[in-house]
Structure formats: structure tokens, C-alpha cells
Amino acid sequence: MHTIIPVLFAALLFAGCYKDEVAEADLTSNALDPDYDGPPILELISTDTELRYNGFVVIDTVVVFNMRARTDLFPSLISYQLEGVQTNDGTSDITDQLVPTTTEASVEHRHVLYGNTYCMDISVVSVGSNSRSYRFCGTAVQ
Amino acid sequence: MLDDKYRMQQREVTLPAGQHRFQFWAPTRRIVDTTLTVLPDITRDFTLRLPYSDEYKVYQEQLLRYRNNRKLNRLLPMAATGVSAIVSVSMFVKYKNAHDQLAEDVDQYNSLTSPGAISRLKNETMPAHQADFNKAERNFIISTSITGGLAVLTTYLYVKSARMKVPLFEDKERLSSEGLAWVPGERGGTWAGGFTFDLVKR
């Protein structure tokens, strides 16, 4: 009796000591988490300025952002899209669905003028929602 | 005692006809003093039920009270501690499950491929599970503390009850009667012998 009680009491206390809390704020390691703070999952390869035609008629000038997605940082192989949102007016451009092995894709900033610099917030779209976005800028050159 | 002269220990005795005074006594019983008339050549059955002595009744009451007190001081706290320990174990299981759920959430976080699902997990699911965990942890600490307190109280009352004075039966009727007497006690009883020295000068 005199032995059992302290042993039981100590066992309960020790059993309870190893548990700890989990802080959600510390969870930022998933590359698709909007709060992700690891190495960038998107890299800008280059920017090009291109003309868009309707037949032989130029209808628009765009800055193309050629991107590389670090799919190796994704939690698993997934099909995804890239979406770029123009910072000047909020319009967006989104790629077709990309297969897991595809690492390069482009989004474009429409209605540009030569000599001006344009920025886009580009993110990965997976299962209908966006990852953290990265801002990239490029200048429209003739 | 027979006729104030003879101490009867044998089971048979031959008496002359006439009145004889008997004083019957048995351990824990009251002495009954009666006179029987012995008639020649006639056999009669005589049955006498000796009542319990007052001291024995008081002793029985004290013994019952002692036993009840001891039970109260031992069994009740032990039962309460036992129930509390069971509750503590139950709380620990909930506490552990709540923690396992959080660990599972972390695993899920690392494997989710939907940013929206990740946000819901972090902003809705995990805070709810964290609240469950905090509640389970609080309940576990409270129940463990209560169990510990009850365990200490149980030990204290157990030790205290062990020091309780066991009531003893002093058969005062026995003092009026010589011979070997059975004195019941807490752990059975003892045989006691007594002598009466008549110091009155006749």
C-alpha cells in the first residue's frame, strides 16, 4: 500500500511530462504552405517581350516570365499550374495543368509598353488553391 | 456455583432432595442466580438461557463502532483513490490521444499538397486540436493531483486507523465467578483463570 501509491503517483507524473505542445506557427516547412519560408519554389529563368497577333494584326505586347518550379521541394509529385497576378491591375494569367515531371512554364504580363518594368506575383496552384507567391519583375524591351 | 459452596466444573452431580441455589455463569453472560427444588426420584428438564452481560453489550457496540470507523478510515479513502486513479488513467488516455492527434496533424501537414487544405489545417483544425490537447492536459494534471492528494490522505487515514485503540472486553461477571473463563477479544480471545481469596475472618 505504502509503496504502490507513490509509484503510481510518480508513474502518472512521469508519463505526463514527456508530452509537449505543437505550435502551428512553427509549421512552415511545406513548400505548398502559403506561410512557407524555405528555399523559393519558383525561380525566374528569363523574361521576354513578345507580340501577340490575331492573324497578321498585332493585338498586344506582353512580357513573358519564364519560370522554373522547384518540384523537388514539393511534398510529393503533383500536377500543378502556375498563376501570375499582375501587380498593376490584378489580372492574372494561369498555365495549363502541368504534369509532375514538368519543371518549366511561363506566364505573361499583358498590355505592356516598351521601356516600362512590370511585376507579377507568381504562385503554384495545386488542388484549386495557391501557394505562397513570389514577386518577379521584368522590363518590356523592343 | 452450587449452594454458595461448590464450584461445579463436572457435568454431573448428585444432590439430595430439597432446594438448592444455583448461580449460573458463562463467558460474556450475566450471572443468573436461581433456586431449584430437587424432588426425589423425579426427572425434570430445566433450560436456562443466560442473557448477555451489560459489559458485553457495550463491548459489542464499541467493537462495531471501532470496526465501522476502521472501515470508514480505510475502505472509503481507498475506494475514492481507486476511482480517482481510474479517472486519472482515463484522463491520461485522452491526453495521449489529443497529443497523438496533434502529431498526426503535423504528419498530415508535411504530406498535404493543397495550399488551401494546409491553411485550413493550420488555422482551423490544429487550433481546435490544440485546444482539446490543452483541455486534456489540464484535466490530466487536475485528476492526477486529486489522486495524489487522495493517496496521501488514504495513507494518513490508514496509519491513523492502525493506531486506533481496539476496544477490550473486560468480563466483570467473570470476576464474580472463579474458574477458567473464555474472554473474547479482537483477535479471537483468551482463556483466563481467576482466584478469589476470602480474607474475611469468620
Side-chain angles (χ1 to χ4, degrees):
Chain A
M1 175 76 180
H2 291 241
T3 311
I4 292 172
I5 289 173
V7 168
L8 177 71
F9 191 48
L12 284 171
L13 278 180
F14 280 120
C17 285
Y18 74 94
K19 303 298 178 192
D20 203 357
E21 293 187 19
V22 177
E24 300 90 16
D26 295 340
L27 294 176
T28 53
S29 59
N30 188 323
L32 297 175
D33 183 351
D35 300 322
Y36 173 68
D37 66 355
I41 60 172
L42 292 175
E43 296 170 353
L44 179 64
I45 301 171
S46 62
T47 57
D48 300 318
T49 305
E50 297 179 2
L51 299 174
R52 293 287 175 254
Y53 296 88
N54 184 7
F56 295 101
V57 180
V58 175
I59 57 170
D60 197 7
T61 307
V62 300
V63 171
V64 178
F65 291 79
N66 300 307
M67 306 300 301
R68 178 182 294 119
R70 290 283 309 276
T71 56
D72 57 309
L73 296 175
F74 292 176
S76 58
L77 289 175
I78 54 166
S79 296
Y80 64 99
Q81 296 168 283
L82 293 186
E83 182 179 29
V85 177
Q86 298 178 183
T87 56
N88 59 353
D89 61 5
T91 58
S92 67
D93 179 36
I94 190 165
T95 66
D96 293 332
Q97 196 76 18
L98 304 170
V99 296
T101 50
T102 303
T103 57
E104 294 182 7
S106 301
V107 290
E108 56 188 40
H109 193 295
R110 300 185 188 96
H111 314 312
V112 300
L113 297 174
Y114 293 121
N116 289 346
T117 297
Y118 298 92
C119 296
M120 294 191 87
D121 289 331
I122 303 174
S123 60
V124 171
V125 180
S126 173
V127 201
S129 52
N130 293 67
S131 71
R132 171 189 168 179
S133 63
Y134 297 86
R135 179 162 292 187
F136 298 98
C137 297
T139 303
V141 292
Q142 196 163 14
Chain B
M1 288 286 288
L2 175 58
D3 294 335
D4 296 327
K5 294 178 184 175
Y6 309 106
R7 170 163 303 281
M8 284 185 61
Q9 292 183 339
Q10 66 275 31
R11 301 187 68 82
E12 287 187 12
V13 65
T14 303
L15 295 174
Q19 288 193 331
H20 295 278
R21 186 184 178 200
F22 285 84
Q23 287 174 295
F24 294 100
W25 174 81
T28 73
R29 306 288 174 146
R30 191 185 300 162
I31 296 172
V32 173
D33 195 336
T34 186
T35 300
L36 300 175
T37 303
V38 176
L39 301 174
D41 302 325
I42 293 176
T43 301
R44 291 274 175 83
D45 288 335
F46 172 71
T47 304
L48 177 65
R49 189 174 184 280
L50 295 176
Y52 284 112
S53 67
D54 292 339
E55 291 81 10
Y56 186 71
K57 288 177 185 172
V58 170
Y59 164 74
Q60 284 292 327
E61 286 173 8
Q62 288 175 340
L63 193 61
L64 184 65
R65 200 176 305 125
Y66 165 77
R67 284 174 177 163
N68 287 341
N69 280 342
R70 197 174 59 173
K71 277 182 193 171
L72 196 70
N73 279 288
R74 290 186 176 183
L75 294 181
L76 197 64
M78 273 185 189
T81 305
V83 170
S84 183
I86 290 169
V87 171
S88 293
V89 170
S90 166
M91 290 297 143
F92 175 72
V93 170
K94 286 183 181 174
Y95 176 45
K96 184 178 179 300
N97 288 344
H99 182 270
D100 290 348
Q101 179 62 63
L102 279 179
E104 197 176 303
D105 289 346
V106 172
D107 290 341
Q108 196 179 2
Y109 168 82
N110 289 325
S111 62
L112 276 176
T113 57
S114 165
I118 292 172
S119 292
R120 279 193 298 280
L121 177 71
K122 288 176 67 177
N123 299 327
E124 297 169 21
T125 308
M126 288 187 76
H129 288 165
Q130 184 69 59
D132 291 343
F133 173 78
N134 292 342
K135 184 182 173 187
E137 184 180 48
R138 188 171 59 247
N139 288 343
F140 172 66
I141 290 171
I142 291 171
S143 63
T144 306
S145 302
I146 291 173
T147 301
L150 283 173
V152 171
L153 182 67
T154 300
T155 307
Y156 168 73
L157 290 175
Y158 192 91
V159 171
K160 187 185 168 190
S161 70
R163 290 176 184 166
M164 283 168 66
K165 196 175 178 183
V166 182
L168 295 173
F169 175 56
E170 187 183 357
D171 198 345
K172 289 181 180 172
E173 298 283 329
R174 178 177 59 84
L175 300 177
S176 305
S177 174
E178 291 180 352
L180 201 59
W182 173 252
V183 182
E186 173 62 18
R187 294 178 180 171
T190 51
W191 285 102
F195 298 96
T196 301
F197 296 95
D198 190 358
L199 301 176
V200 178
K201 192 173 182 180
R202 296 178 188 272

mmCIF file of all heavy atoms in Angstrom, chain B residues 140-166:
data_model
loop_
_atom_site.group_PDB
_atom_site.id
_atom_site.type_symbol
_atom_site.label_atom_id
_atom_site.label_comp_id
_atom_site.label_asym_id
_atom_site.label_seq_id
_atom_site.Cartn_x
_atom_site.Cartn_y
_atom_site.Cartn_z
ATOM 1 N N PHE B 140 -5.919 16.193 -16.985
ATOM 2 C CA PHE B 140 -4.999 15.154 -16.520
ATOM 3 C C PHE B 140 -4.234 15.633 -15.286
ATOM 4 O O PHE B 140 -4.106 14.900 -14.296
ATOM 5 C CB PHE B 140 -4.019 14.783 -17.640
ATOM 6 C CG PHE B 140 -2.917 13.875 -17.191
ATOM 7 C CD1 PHE B 140 -3.182 12.581 -16.768
ATOM 8 C CD2 PHE B 140 -1.606 14.314 -17.164
ATOM 9 C CE1 PHE B 140 -2.168 11.741 -16.334
ATOM 10 C CE2 PHE B 140 -0.590 13.490 -16.737
ATOM 11 C CZ PHE B 140 -0.870 12.202 -16.323
ATOM 12 N N ILE B 141 -3.753 16.868 -15.339
ATOM 13 C CA ILE B 141 -2.999 17.403 -14.194
ATOM 14 C C ILE B 141 -3.900 17.496 -12.967
ATOM 15 O O ILE B 141 -3.509 17.107 -11.855
ATOM 16 C CB ILE B 141 -2.395 18.787 -14.551
ATOM 17 C CG1 ILE B 141 -1.275 18.605 -15.580
ATOM 18 C CG2 ILE B 141 -1.869 19.492 -13.313
ATOM 19 C CD1 ILE B 141 -0.749 19.899 -16.173
ATOM 20 N N ILE B 142 -5.135 17.973 -13.188
ATOM 21 C CA ILE B 142 -6.072 18.099 -12.056
ATOM 22 C C ILE B 142 -6.383 16.727 -11.467
ATOM 23 O O ILE B 142 -6.307 16.525 -10.248
ATOM 24 C CB ILE B 142 -7.377 18.800 -12.513
ATOM 25 C CG1 ILE B 142 -7.098 20.267 -12.827
ATOM 26 C CG2 ILE B 142 -8.460 18.685 -11.443
ATOM 27 C CD1 ILE B 142 -8.252 21.004 -13.487
ATOM 28 N N SER B 143 -6.705 15.774 -12.331
ATOM 29 C CA SER B 143 -7.082 14.450 -11.826
ATOM 30 C C SER B 143 -5.897 13.771 -11.144
ATOM 31 O O SER B 143 -6.060 13.096 -10.130
ATOM 32 C CB SER B 143 -7.625 13.572 -12.960
ATOM 33 O OG SER B 143 -6.627 13.360 -13.926
ATOM 34 N N THR B 144 -4.700 13.978 -11.697
ATOM 35 C CA THR B 144 -3.513 13.381 -11.084
ATOM 36 C C THR B 144 -3.242 14.015 -9.717
ATOM 37 O O THR B 144 -2.888 13.314 -8.766
ATOM 38 C CB THR B 144 -2.282 13.578 -11.995
ATOM 39 O OG1 THR B 144 -2.599 13.080 -13.285
ATOM 40 C CG2 THR B 144 -1.084 12.833 -11.459
ATOM 41 N N SER B 145 -3.440 15.314 -9.645
ATOM 42 C CA SER B 145 -3.236 15.997 -8.361
ATOM 43 C C SER B 145 -4.235 15.493 -7.329
ATOM 44 O O SER B 145 -3.874 15.255 -6.164
ATOM 45 C CB SER B 145 -3.401 17.509 -8.537
ATOM 46 O OG SER B 145 -2.496 17.988 -9.496
ATOM 47 N N ILE B 146 -5.496 15.341 -7.770
ATOM 48 C CA ILE B 146 -6.510 14.845 -6.838
ATOM 49 C C ILE B 146 -6.161 13.428 -6.391
ATOM 50 O O ILE B 146 -6.250 13.097 -5.202
ATOM 51 C CB ILE B 146 -7.906 14.884 -7.503
ATOM 52 C CG1 ILE B 146 -8.349 16.340 -7.683
ATOM 53 C CG2 ILE B 146 -8.931 14.113 -6.685
ATOM 54 C CD1 ILE B 146 -9.617 16.521 -8.481
ATOM 55 N N THR B 147 -5.728 12.611 -7.335
ATOM 56 C CA THR B 147 -5.347 11.233 -6.990
ATOM 57 C C THR B 147 -4.182 11.241 -5.995
ATOM 58 O O THR B 147 -4.187 10.480 -5.020
ATOM 59 C CB THR B 147 -4.937 10.458 -8.267
ATOM 60 O OG1 THR B 147 -6.043 10.456 -9.164
ATOM 61 C CG2 THR B 147 -4.562 9.022 -7.935
ATOM 62 N N GLY B 148 -3.215 12.103 -6.246
ATOM 63 C CA GLY B 148 -2.078 12.206 -5.337
ATOM 64 C C GLY B 148 -2.510 12.638 -3.948
ATOM 65 O O GLY B 148 -2.082 12.058 -2.944
ATOM 66 N N GLY B 149 -3.396 13.651 -3.921
ATOM 67 C CA GLY B 149 -3.898 14.130 -2.627
ATOM 68 C C GLY B 149 -4.656 13.046 -1.893
ATOM 69 O O GLY B 149 -4.478 12.846 -0.680
ATOM 70 N N LEU B 150 -5.488 12.332 -2.639
ATOM 71 C CA LEU B 150 -6.259 11.244 -2.018
ATOM 72 C C LEU B 150 -5.342 10.120 -1.547
ATOM 73 O O LEU B 150 -5.602 9.494 -0.526
ATOM 74 C CB LEU B 150 -7.286 10.701 -3.016
ATOM 75 C CG LEU B 150 -8.532 11.565 -3.214
ATOM 76 C CD1 LEU B 150 -9.386 11.027 -4.350
ATOM 77 C CD2 LEU B 150 -9.355 11.630 -1.936
ATOM 78 N N ALA B 151 -4.287 9.875 -2.305
ATOM 79 C CA ALA B 151 -3.341 8.828 -1.912
ATOM 80 C C ALA B 151 -2.667 9.193 -0.589
ATOM 81 O O ALA B 151 -2.522 8.350 0.305
ATOM 82 C CB ALA B 151 -2.300 8.633 -3.004
ATOM 83 N N VAL B 152 -2.301 10.464 -0.483
ATOM 84 C CA VAL B 152 -1.674 10.927 0.772
ATOM 85 C C VAL B 152 -2.686 10.821 1.918
ATOM 86 O O VAL B 152 -2.363 10.338 3.011
ATOM 87 C CB VAL B 152 -1.179 12.379 0.617
ATOM 88 C CG1 VAL B 152 -0.733 12.946 1.954
ATOM 89 C CG2 VAL B 152 -0.042 12.441 -0.392
ATOM 90 N N LEU B 153 -3.924 11.273 1.647
ATOM 91 C CA LEU B 153 -4.972 11.203 2.667
ATOM 92 C C LEU B 153 -5.247 9.766 3.070
ATOM 93 O O LEU B 153 -5.411 9.454 4.252
ATOM 94 C CB LEU B 153 -6.258 11.862 2.131
ATOM 95 C CG LEU B 153 -7.430 11.907 3.097
ATOM 96 C CD1 LEU B 153 -7.115 12.838 4.260
ATOM 97 C CD2 LEU B 153 -8.699 12.369 2.392
ATOM 98 N N THR B 154 -5.285 8.875 2.072
ATOM 99 C CA THR B 154 -5.516 7.454 2.349
ATOM 100 C C THR B 154 -4.419 6.893 3.243
ATOM 101 O O THR B 154 -4.693 6.171 4.213
ATOM 102 C CB THR B 154 -5.575 6.661 1.027
ATOM 103 O OG1 THR B 154 -6.636 7.168 0.235
ATOM 104 C CG2 THR B 154 -5.796 5.188 1.284
ATOM 105 N N THR B 155 -3.196 7.234 2.904
ATOM 106 C CA THR B 155 -2.072 6.755 3.719
ATOM 107 C C THR B 155 -2.176 7.274 5.145
ATOM 108 O O THR B 155 -2.001 6.515 6.115
ATOM 109 C CB THR B 155 -0.737 7.218 3.093
ATOM 110 O OG1 THR B 155 -0.710 6.811 1.726
ATOM 111 C CG2 THR B 155 0.448 6.624 3.822
ATOM 112 N N TYR B 156 -2.505 8.554 5.241
ATOM 113 C CA TYR B 156 -2.620 9.159 6.567
ATOM 114 C C TYR B 156 -3.715 8.474 7.393
ATOM 115 O O TYR B 156 -3.507 8.102 8.553
ATOM 116 C CB TYR B 156 -2.919 10.653 6.430
ATOM 117 C CG TYR B 156 -3.336 11.316 7.710
ATOM 118 C CD1 TYR B 156 -2.404 11.573 8.720
ATOM 119 C CD2 TYR B 156 -4.667 11.675 7.936
ATOM 120 C CE1 TYR B 156 -2.789 12.167 9.902
ATOM 121 C CE2 TYR B 156 -5.053 12.260 9.115
ATOM 122 C CZ TYR B 156 -4.123 12.508 10.102
ATOM 123 O OH TYR B 156 -4.507 13.080 11.286
ATOM 124 N N LEU B 157 -4.887 8.303 6.755
ATOM 125 C CA LEU B 157 -6.005 7.685 7.478
ATOM 126 C C LEU B 157 -5.736 6.215 7.784
ATOM 127 O O LEU B 157 -6.175 5.699 8.805
ATOM 128 C CB LEU B 157 -7.299 7.822 6.659
ATOM 129 C CG LEU B 157 -7.851 9.240 6.566
ATOM 130 C CD1 LEU B 157 -9.050 9.299 5.638
ATOM 131 C CD2 LEU B 157 -8.241 9.761 7.945
ATOM 132 N N TYR B 158 -4.999 5.547 6.894
ATOM 133 C CA TYR B 158 -4.659 4.141 7.132
ATOM 134 C C TYR B 158 -3.767 4.027 8.371
ATOM 135 O O TYR B 158 -4.003 3.199 9.246
ATOM 136 C CB TYR B 158 -3.954 3.579 5.907
ATOM 137 C CG TYR B 158 -3.820 2.083 5.918
ATOM 138 C CD1 TYR B 158 -4.787 1.272 5.338
ATOM 139 C CD2 TYR B 158 -2.726 1.467 6.516
ATOM 140 C CE1 TYR B 158 -4.682 -0.102 5.357
ATOM 141 C CE2 TYR B 158 -2.607 0.091 6.544
ATOM 142 C CZ TYR B 158 -3.584 -0.684 5.954
ATOM 143 O OH TYR B 158 -3.464 -2.046 5.992
ATOM 144 N N VAL B 159 -2.778 4.890 8.406
ATOM 145 C CA VAL B 159 -1.858 4.872 9.555
ATOM 146 C C VAL B 159 -2.616 5.262 10.824
ATOM 147 O O VAL B 159 -2.454 4.640 11.885
ATOM 148 C CB VAL B 159 -0.674 5.838 9.308
ATOM 149 C CG1 VAL B 159 0.170 6.006 10.565
ATOM 150 C CG2 VAL B 159 0.177 5.323 8.157
ATOM 151 N N LYS B 160 -3.483 6.269 10.661
ATOM 152 C CA LYS B 160 -4.258 6.725 11.816
ATOM 153 C C LYS B 160 -5.176 5.607 12.331
ATOM 154 O O LYS B 160 -5.298 5.384 13.528
ATOM 155 C CB LYS B 160 -5.082 7.943 11.412
ATOM 156 C CG LYS B 160 -5.809 8.617 12.557
ATOM 157 C CD LYS B 160 -6.689 9.733 12.035
ATOM 158 C CE LYS B 160 -7.632 10.222 13.111
ATOM 159 N NZ LYS B 160 -8.648 11.122 12.582
ATOM 160 N N SER B 161 -5.803 4.899 11.396
ATOM 161 C CA SER B 161 -6.723 3.836 11.809
ATOM 162 C C SER B 161 -5.980 2.684 12.464
ATOM 163 O O SER B 161 -6.519 1.980 13.314
ATOM 164 C CB SER B 161 -7.525 3.334 10.603
ATOM 165 O OG SER B 161 -6.689 2.623 9.720
ATOM 166 N N ALA B 162 -4.718 2.491 12.032
ATOM 167 C CA ALA B 162 -3.929 1.414 12.640
ATOM 168 C C ALA B 162 -3.599 1.738 14.089
ATOM 169 O O ALA B 162 -3.327 0.839 14.893
ATOM 170 C CB ALA B 162 -2.647 1.207 11.843
ATOM 171 N N ARG B 163 -3.634 3.033 14.408
ATOM 172 C CA ARG B 163 -3.317 3.438 15.790
ATOM 173 C C ARG B 163 -4.566 3.553 16.653
ATOM 174 O O ARG B 163 -4.467 3.932 17.827
ATOM 175 C CB ARG B 163 -2.598 4.787 15.759
ATOM 176 C CG ARG B 163 -1.194 4.689 15.190
ATOM 177 C CD ARG B 163 -0.555 6.055 15.076
ATOM 178 N NE ARG B 163 0.751 5.971 14.439
ATOM 179 C CZ ARG B 163 1.409 6.998 13.975
ATOM 180 N NH1 ARG B 163 0.896 8.207 14.077
ATOM 181 N NH2 ARG B 163 2.597 6.850 13.417
ATOM 182 N N MET B 164 -5.712 3.300 16.054
ATOM 183 C CA MET B 164 -6.949 3.380 16.845
ATOM 184 C C MET B 164 -6.952 2.294 17.925
ATOM 185 O O MET B 164 -6.523 1.169 17.677
ATOM 186 C CB MET B 164 -8.179 3.192 15.936
ATOM 187 C CG MET B 164 -8.518 4.423 15.124
ATOM 188 S SD MET B 164 -9.734 4.070 13.836
ATOM 189 C CE MET B 164 -11.147 3.688 14.826
ATOM 190 N N LYS B 165 -7.440 2.685 19.090
ATOM 191 C CA LYS B 165 -7.412 1.745 20.205
ATOM 192 C C LYS B 165 -8.504 0.693 20.024
ATOM 193 O O LYS B 165 -9.679 1.034 19.850
ATOM 194 C CB LYS B 165 -7.628 2.517 21.503
ATOM 195 C CG LYS B 165 -7.252 1.744 22.742
ATOM 196 C CD LYS B 165 -7.377 2.608 23.973
ATOM 197 C CE LYS B 165 -7.048 1.801 25.219
ATOM 198 N NZ LYS B 165 -7.221 2.599 26.436
ATOM 199 N N VAL B 166 -8.076 -0.552 20.052
ATOM 200 C CA VAL B 166 -9.036 -1.643 19.907
ATOM 201 C C VAL B 166 -9.780 -1.812 21.237
ATOM 202 O O VAL B 166 -9.153 -1.920 22.292
ATOM 203 C CB VAL B 166 -8.315 -2.959 19.557
ATOM 204 C CG1 VAL B 166 -9.326 -4.079 19.354
ATOM 205 C CG2 VAL B 166 -7.452 -2.776 18.329
#
